[in-house]
Amino acid sequence: MMNTVHIDLCPVCANNNCPETLICKDHLVTGELFSVHRCSKCNFAFTQNFPCEEEIGKYYDAPEYISHSDTHQGFINSLYHQARKISLKSKTKMASKYSSETAETLLDIGSGTGYFLNAMRRKKWIVTGIEKSETTREYAHKKFGLNIQDSEYLFKMPDRTKDVVTMWHVLEHIEKLNDTMANLHRILKDDGVLFVALPNKKSADAIAYKEHWAAYDVPRHLWHFSPDDFKQFAEKHNFKIEKMKPMYFDPFYIAMLSEKNKGTSTASLAGLFKGSLFFIQSLFNTRRCSSIIYILKKK
Ligand SMILES: [Zn+2]
């Protein structure tokens, strides 16, 4: 019997009425079904009965899990890698633009293979990374000479020491949601800035694909935010949202994967086409974007 985590109270507002809203499939590894529940009060959603920290490892055990690997095989992957180059540039720019002039210390949580940290180090930032996978930490060390810490490090770091903390599509994977956010507030300097990139369950593509939407990504994604419930969550932890930025490539990538989940035979083509429609919508309204970068400061 697998050890799972059952959520009784909404992790954002503590409401106890969170009925099932969707049943999603793990399309990447096991084909198992997981239900997504939604809080009746604040609309925050979460994957119910997800595998605990000790057992979730096997659900990441896929060569396609490209955020953690460097494979260039396949059409979708090669597009992904091109897009990653461009978005890497925009992330490094953003970190400088929104932080104070004297900012120099940066922590990237879920630093993966280390590309972002390496790019920031080349811009003279003093960088620290946290990554839970030991294999991935070793990869980042071999490839870039980066010394990456394990997950526990966040809770041991001294108060008010970081100018910038980044989490690029990571918070939705972390079991200790509230503890993590509280510690981010603790380790940030008073004028520090926090970047959190998250899929948006109220995006045009999420609404269109419903349970096939690839960014539900159960059971790897535990938490499913929209701009409204993320704002409430941020404020609960004494952060305010300074700005929301769209991630322009995600609608294409997510639409291609979602088409594949639906069983569309020409998934990549269909996904590219529909992705362009979602992309166009997101140009007019960031709140409809597939993924959003939230830029937060302390209240
Ligand atoms: Zn709630």
Side-chain angles (χ1 to χ4, degrees), residues 10 13 15 39 42:
C10 168
C13 77
N15 173 28
C39 171
C42 75

PDB file of all heavy atoms in Angstrom, residues 10 13 15 39 42, ligand 1:
ATOM      1  N   CYS A  10      -8.205  23.192   3.083  1.00  0.00           N
ATOM      2  CA  CYS A  10      -7.571  23.941   2.002  1.00  0.00           C
ATOM      3  C   CYS A  10      -6.266  24.559   2.509  1.00  0.00           C
ATOM      4  O   CYS A  10      -6.272  25.293   3.501  1.00  0.00           O
ATOM      5  CB  CYS A  10      -8.519  25.032   1.511  1.00  0.00           C
ATOM      6  SG  CYS A  10      -7.707  26.213   0.426  1.00  0.00           S
ATOM      7  N   CYS A  13      -6.740  28.624   2.510  1.00  0.00           N
ATOM      8  CA  CYS A  13      -7.675  29.355   3.388  1.00  0.00           C
ATOM      9  C   CYS A  13      -8.234  28.518   4.531  1.00  0.00           C
ATOM     10  O   CYS A  13      -9.070  28.988   5.292  1.00  0.00           O
ATOM     11  CB  CYS A  13      -8.802  29.960   2.559  1.00  0.00           C
ATOM     12  SG  CYS A  13     -10.056  28.770   2.056  1.00  0.00           S
ATOM     13  N   ASN A  15     -10.382  26.220   4.640  1.00  0.00           N
ATOM     14  CA  ASN A  15     -11.769  25.770   4.484  1.00  0.00           C
ATOM     15  C   ASN A  15     -11.800  24.236   4.417  1.00  0.00           C
ATOM     16  O   ASN A  15     -10.902  23.620   3.839  1.00  0.00           O
ATOM     17  CB  ASN A  15     -12.309  26.391   3.186  1.00  0.00           C
ATOM     18  CG  ASN A  15     -13.679  25.878   2.794  1.00  0.00           C
ATOM     19  OD1 ASN A  15     -14.478  25.486   3.643  1.00  0.00           O
ATOM     20  ND2 ASN A  15     -13.946  25.891   1.503  1.00  0.00           N
ATOM     21  N   CYS A  39     -11.171  23.976  -3.565  1.00  0.00           N
ATOM     22  CA  CYS A  39     -11.746  24.616  -2.380  1.00  0.00           C
ATOM     23  C   CYS A  39     -12.984  25.416  -2.787  1.00  0.00           C
ATOM     24  O   CYS A  39     -12.929  26.223  -3.706  1.00  0.00           O
ATOM     25  CB  CYS A  39     -10.705  25.522  -1.740  1.00  0.00           C
ATOM     26  SG  CYS A  39     -11.363  26.565  -0.433  1.00  0.00           S
ATOM     27  N   CYS A  42     -12.066  29.505  -1.785  1.00  0.00           N
ATOM     28  CA  CYS A  42     -11.066  30.345  -2.460  1.00  0.00           C
ATOM     29  C   CYS A  42     -10.704  29.822  -3.855  1.00  0.00           C
ATOM     30  O   CYS A  42      -9.927  30.448  -4.567  1.00  0.00           O
ATOM     31  CB  CYS A  42      -9.803  30.484  -1.603  1.00  0.00           C
ATOM     32  SG  CYS A  42      -8.747  29.021  -1.581  1.00  0.00           S
TER      33      CYS A  42
HETATM   34 ZN    ZN B   1      -9.420  27.694   0.098  1.00  0.00          ZN
END
